[in-house]
Amino acid sequence: MNGIDREIFLDRRHIAKHLPNTAQSSRLLQKGRSAHVFSDEATLFFVAQAIIEMGIHTGFARGYDRYGLMFTEMIGFRIDPNGSTLPLFYGEVKIDTDNRYHPIPRTRPSGE
């Protein structure tokens, strides 16, 4: 069975760090970390809904239950601290133990 079959709640605290040109995504770059951002907010919500409806459970890693889905169109990009970018086609929803979730664009499914 695909999709998420339990009630989950959007955790808005993590949204800004996955959107381009926000203070939160810029802060990651300033710390020398790459930022994985969606193309825009509408894409973020589209990806989240698609994963909720059709995502594949990829397991439990680093404290989160994870579901993912590969997209044929670019959904976002990874920005490296040096300014280079990489297009992203994989979306993931992370769900914590309180059933709060947030979507992330990624290069591939998370591993342990």
Side-chain angles (χ1 to χ4, degrees), residues 79-97:
I79 308 168
D80 288 328
N82 66 8
S84 64
T85 61
L86 175 71
L88 300 174
F89 295 85
Y90 185 80
E92 182 174 79
V93 162
K94 293 171 46 173
I95 306 171
D96 68 15
T97 56

Side-chain angles (χ1 to χ4, degrees), residues 3-107:
I4 301 171
D5 63 351
R6 67 182 197 244
E7 189 172 13
I8 58 175
F9 309 92
L10 179 62
D11 189 349
R12 294 193 172 273
R13 294 175 301 164
H14 298 282
I15 299 294
K17 71 180 168 186
H18 297 296
L19 292 174
N21 305 314
T22 62
Q24 292 84 342
S25 62
S26 295
R27 193 173 307 125
L28 289 170
L29 297 170
Q30 290 168 356
K31 290 181 178 181
R33 298 178 57 197
S34 55
H36 292 75
V37 297
F38 287 98
S39 300
D40 53 39
E41 191 171 7
T43 303
L44 179 149
F45 289 115
F46 168 79
V47 168
Q49 189 60 42
I51 295 170
I52 290 168
E53 293 174 8
M54 302 175 293
I56 297 169
H57 187 251
T58 58
F60 191 83
R62 295 184 302 283
Y64 291 91
D65 205 12
R66 296 167 186 264
Y67 291 78
L69 194 60
M70 184 64 75
F71 292 84
T72 57
E73 304 272 327
M74 184 182 89
I75 60 169
F77 45 96
R78 183 182 75 198
I79 308 168
D80 288 328
N82 66 8
S84 64
T85 61
L86 175 71
L88 300 174
F89 295 85
Y90 185 80
E92 182 174 79
V93 162
K94 293 171 46 173
I95 306 171
D96 68 15
T97 56
D98 294 322
N99 289 322
R100 294 177 300 208
Y101 77 92
H102 68 278
I104 303 170
R106 297 184 49 82
T107 55

